[in-house]
Amino acid sequence: MKPLLEIKGLEKHFPIKSGFFKKTTGYVKAVDGIDLTVYPGETLGIVGESGCGKSTTGRTILRLLEPTAGEVWFDGKDLAKLSNEEMRRMRKDVQMIFQDPYASLNPRMTIRQILLESLEVHGIGTAEERKRTVEEIIEVVGLRKEHLDRHPHDFSGGQRQRIGIARALVLKPKLVIADEPVSALDVSIQSQILNLLKDLKKEFNLTLVFISHDLSVVKHLCDRVAVMYLGRVVEIADKKTLFENPSHPYTRALLSAVPVAKPKQKRERVILQGDLPSPANPPSGCTFHPRCPHVTDLCKTQSPRLQEIGGGQAVSCHLVQMGG
Ligand code: SF4
């Protein structure tokens, strides 16, 4: 099957400026050479600790941040090379759901105006068709028509996220990037929004990139999962393989902190030493080496490459690649 989204060598480096003349003295390598493929109809999860570059990856794919290098092939076009006008037109097909929908909803507009605006900007349908589409989508996300004439501040956090989802879906995009869409919500509301996304995924045959720091949330929704550490993908596999047979020591540590349903399957808890190093000054060799319980001399000097180890699972670790 042809991928819908193919990312090759994507980088996003932020300059560090200092001194009176604001000279560039270094770079924060938030995204440092990522390759990812997303197939039509699948949900790819991107997980990692806060600061690992997962949100920057999402924003760079959509050109909300300009990539430093790399290619983002979507529907036969390299998004990284499109002009601003071409990208504006392309946004109809690639939409984003944000962590904090309130910040992205104009407080002075009613929900009807917000949803209509998206359709009008892209010249979709007649006035009558747009009205109908808006009234349909609000019900699809579990709200009612009368909600359309209220303002964002009239809604709870969970309802606002439903509006954020409606705004992303009203354009019938081919790809949706959801950046931590439930992490600002109460746990009870989180599961409602996740179930809604799961239903919508089926109903609209959505292709979704789902960014989260929470592996249990990712498990609920995703088909494949990419684990990021310091701006790079360290492991990628289908969900079952990743959860049952995690191979990278970092993935194992992350997973060991996730509660399991059956206590008999309890995994040995791996406590990660130290904090996530600064992406402005990443460790040499394998960037995970200062925290890795299996570190060797080779790890300190040579950066491992992401390599397929079978069954679609790829891992970036010397130990795993040597069959350890
Ligand atoms: Fe640990 Fe070495 Fe593998 Fe890095 S390459 S994860 S330091 S064993």
Side-chain angles (χ1 to χ4, degrees), residues 13-38:
H13 297 176
F14 296 97
I16 304 167
K17 309 260 185 198
S18 59
F20 185 73
F21 293 107
K22 297 266 175 266
K23 268 180 70 178
T24 301
T25 52
Y27 289 90
V28 174
K29 296 177 178 174
V31 179
D32 198 22
I34 280 189
D35 300 320
L36 282 175
T37 308
V38 186

Side-chain angles (χ1 to χ4, degrees), residues 22 44 52 65 87 121 149 171 263 290:
K22 297 266 175 266
L44 175 76
C52 72
L65 292 168
M87 193 59 216
V121 162
D149 296 310
L171 294 168

